[in-house]
Amino acid sequence: MKRTIIWLAGTIGILAVLYIIFYHPFPFSFFPELPHLSFYGRCFYVLLLSSALCLLRVALGPTAADRIVAVDILGILIVGFCAILNIPTGRGWYMDIAIAWALQSFIATIALAKYLEGKNLDD
Amino acid sequence: MKSRIAFFVVVFILWLLLCMTFDWVHVVSGVVIACFISLVAGDMFVTRPYVLKNPFRYLWFMYYVPLFIWECLKANIDVAYRVIHPMRPIKPGIVKVKTRLKSETGLTFLANSITLTPGTMSVDLDEENGIIYIHWINVVSTDIDEATERIVSRFERVLAKIFE
Amino acid sequence: MIEIAGMACIAIGLLFDLLGCIGLVRMPDIYNRLQAATKCVTFGTCSIMFGTFLMVGFSSTGVKALLCIVFVALTAPVSAHALSRAAHKSGIKLWDKSVIDKYREDYPNE
C-alpha cells in the first residue's frame, strides 16, 4: 500500500516536470515575457532532471558503493550534456571535452572500485 | 616486433581521426607520438599478431556488431519495462555459467556483451576453469548447463570465430 | 530529413537516460541498480552521440562523436563489472528476496 502511494507520487511528479518542460511558457503564465525554449533547451532540461535523480541517489544511498555507482552514472550523463551543447552553440571543442571526460570518469571509477575492494592500486 | 607495428598502425589511425586535418605538421607529430607509444606499450596489448591477418575474422566482426546492437535494444526495452512497472517484477540472483573461450580479448568482449544484454551482468571471471559468475535480474533456472544455454551460447559461437 | 532523424535519435536517448535514472532510484539493492542504470544510460548516451553525428555530418566533430560512442560502449560495462565485484567482495549482501547466490557459496570467506 505504501509502495503504491510512493509510486503514484513519483510518477505524477516526473510527469508534471516533463509537462512543464514541454509547455514551458504557459498560456496563463505569470511571466509572459519569458522566451520560448528551443528543442535543445528542452533536451537540456530533461538531462537536468536525470542528473537530479542521480543526485537523489547520492544523497539517499545507504552504503558507499551506492554513492560510487551514482557518481559513475553522472559521469556518463555529463558526456551526453557535452554532446548536446555541441549542436546549438556550434563549438567543436565540446566534443573534445566529452571524450576526455569519458576516459577520466572511467579511470576514476576503476580507482574507486579498487579502493572499495581494499587492494592497492597497482594490482 | 610485429605486434608493435600493428599497434603503431592502430594508434596512428586513431590520431588522424582525432585531428581530421591532414597537413604535414599533424602527420609528422602523429608519427612521432605513435612511435613512442608503440615502443612503450606495444607488446602489452597485441599479444598474438598473427590473428590480425585472417580476413574472415573481420567479416565475423561485421556480423557481430548488428547482433550486439539488436540484443542491446531488446535489453533496454526489457529493463525499462521492469523499472516503470508498479510492482517491480524482478527475481534477482547470482548464477554460474561455463565458457569455452580462452583468450583475454575474447573473455573481455564476452563479459561486455553479457553486461549489455537482457537482464544479465557479469560479476567475476575465473579464467583457469572458464567460469563466469552472472547477476541475473530474472532467474529462470539455477542449473549451470541451462543457464549457459540461455545466456552465453548466443555470443560464444560468434566470438570464438573472431578471437580464438 | 536527416535533421529529423537526428532529433529522433536524441529524443530516444533522452528517454532511456531518464528511465535509467529512475531505475537507479527505484531498484532495491546495488546490483539491480547497476543493471538498470548501466544498460539504459549507456544506450541513451550512445544514441545522443549518434544523433549528434547525424546532425553534424562527416566533419571533425562527427568523427569524434563516433569515437566517443566506441569509448563509452567499451568502458561503461567494464566499470560496472569492477564495481559489482568490489561491492560483493566488500561484503554487501544481495536483496532479501534474491533467489540464489552461487558466488557466496564458492567463495564463502571473502
Side-chain angles (χ1 to χ4, degrees), chain B residues 2-12 34 37-38 41-42 45-46:
Chain B
K2 272 181 187 172
S3 62
R4 286 197 173 135
I5 290 172
F7 197 63
F8 172 80
V9 172
V10 171
V11 172
F12 188 60
I37 292 176
S38 56
F45 290 102
V46 187

Side-chain angles (χ1 to χ4, degrees), chain B residues 47-78:
Chain B
T47 49
R48 296 173 304 154
Y50 56 90
V51 302
L52 290 171
K53 281 184 200 162
N54 193 346
F56 288 105
R57 296 177 191 268
Y58 297 101
L59 288 181
W60 279 105
F61 191 73
M62 290 290 131
Y63 172 69
Y64 166 73
V65 171
L67 176 75
F68 174 69
I69 292 175
W70 173 242
E71 293 286 337
C72 189
L73 194 60
K74 273 201 299 189
N76 278 285
I77 292 170
D78 180 60

Side-chain angles (χ1 to χ4, degrees), chain A residues 7 14 39-40 43 47 50 53-54 57 65-66 68 72 76-77 79 83 86 95-96 99 106 113 116-117, chain C residues 14 17-18 21-22 24-26 30 33 45 49 52 55 61 64-65 71 75 79 83 86 89-90 92:
Chain A
W7 182 80
I14 287 170
F39 174 74
Y40 301 107
C43 292
L47 271 179
S50 311
L53 289 173
C54 268
R57 178 45 73 195
D66 291 299
I68 295 175
D72 177 32
I76 305 178
L77 280 180
V79 176
N86 185 20
M95 217 40 140
D96 301 339
I99 293 177
F106 168 64
L116 193 68
E117 206 169 339
Chain C
L14 288 172
D17 268 1
L18 187 60
C21 290
I22 292 172
L24 188 64
V25 175
R26 273 202 85 204
I30 176 173
R33 277 174 206 147
T45 304
M49 290 285 170
T52 310
M55 306 281 282
T61 315
K64 275 175 199 161
F71 283 152
T75 57
S79 63
L83 271 176
K89 285 198 173 170
S90 73
I92 296 173

Side-chain angles (χ1 to χ4, degrees), chain A residues 94-107:
Chain A
Y94 275 115
M95 217 40 140
D96 301 339
I97 299 177
I99 293 177
W101 199 292
L103 294 175
Q104 181 262 350
S105 147
F106 168 64
I107 293 170

Side-chain angles (χ1 to χ4, degrees), chain B residues 6-163:
Chain B
F7 197 63
F8 172 80
V9 172
V10 171
V11 172
F12 188 60
I13 289 174
L14 190 63
W15 170 271
L16 285 186
L17 284 180
L18 279 176
C19 287
M20 283 300 275
T21 47
F22 298 104
D23 55 346
W24 63 273
V25 177
H26 287 86
V27 173
V28 169
S29 53
V31 166
V32 172
I33 291 171
C35 272
F36 179 70
I37 292 176
S38 56
L39 272 182
V40 170
D43 44 0
M44 212 183 293
F45 290 102
V46 187
T47 49
R48 296 173 304 154
Y50 56 90
V51 302
L52 290 171
K53 281 184 200 162
N54 193 346
F56 288 105
R57 296 177 191 268
Y58 297 101
L59 288 181
W60 279 105
F61 191 73
M62 290 290 131
Y63 172 69
Y64 166 73
V65 171
L67 176 75
F68 174 69
I69 292 175
W70 173 242
E71 293 286 337
C72 189
L73 194 60
K74 273 201 299 189
N76 278 285
I77 292 170
D78 180 60
V79 169
Y81 166 71
R82 289 182 202 282
V83 164
I84 62 178
H85 196 280
M87 300 315 291
R88 280 196 309 212
I90 58 176
K91 201 170 78 173
I94 292 183
V95 297
K96 208 160 68 162
V97 297
K98 284 182 292 190
T99 176
R100 297 185 282 113
L101 297 180
K102 288 282 185 290
S103 67
E104 283 190 9
T105 320
L107 277 174
T108 310
F109 266 82
L110 184 66
N112 278 5
S113 316
I114 286 171
T115 299
L116 288 180
T117 49
T120 52
M121 180 179 72
S122 56
V123 173
D124 202 355
L125 289 176
D126 188 354
E127 288 181 22
E128 283 118 28
N129 303 323
I131 286 175
I132 309 179
Y133 296 92
I134 287 177
H135 182 267
W136 202 352
I137 204 171
N138 187 16
V139 176
V140 178
S141 80
T142 59
D143 183 39
I144 180 167
D145 290 322
E146 197 180 342
T148 306
E149 178 65 30
R150 278 178 183 272
I151 298 173
V152 180
S153 60
R154 277 176 302 194
F155 293 109
E156 196 180 40
R157 192 170 47 84
V158 182
L159 283 175
K161 287 200 173 69
I162 299 175
F163 291 111

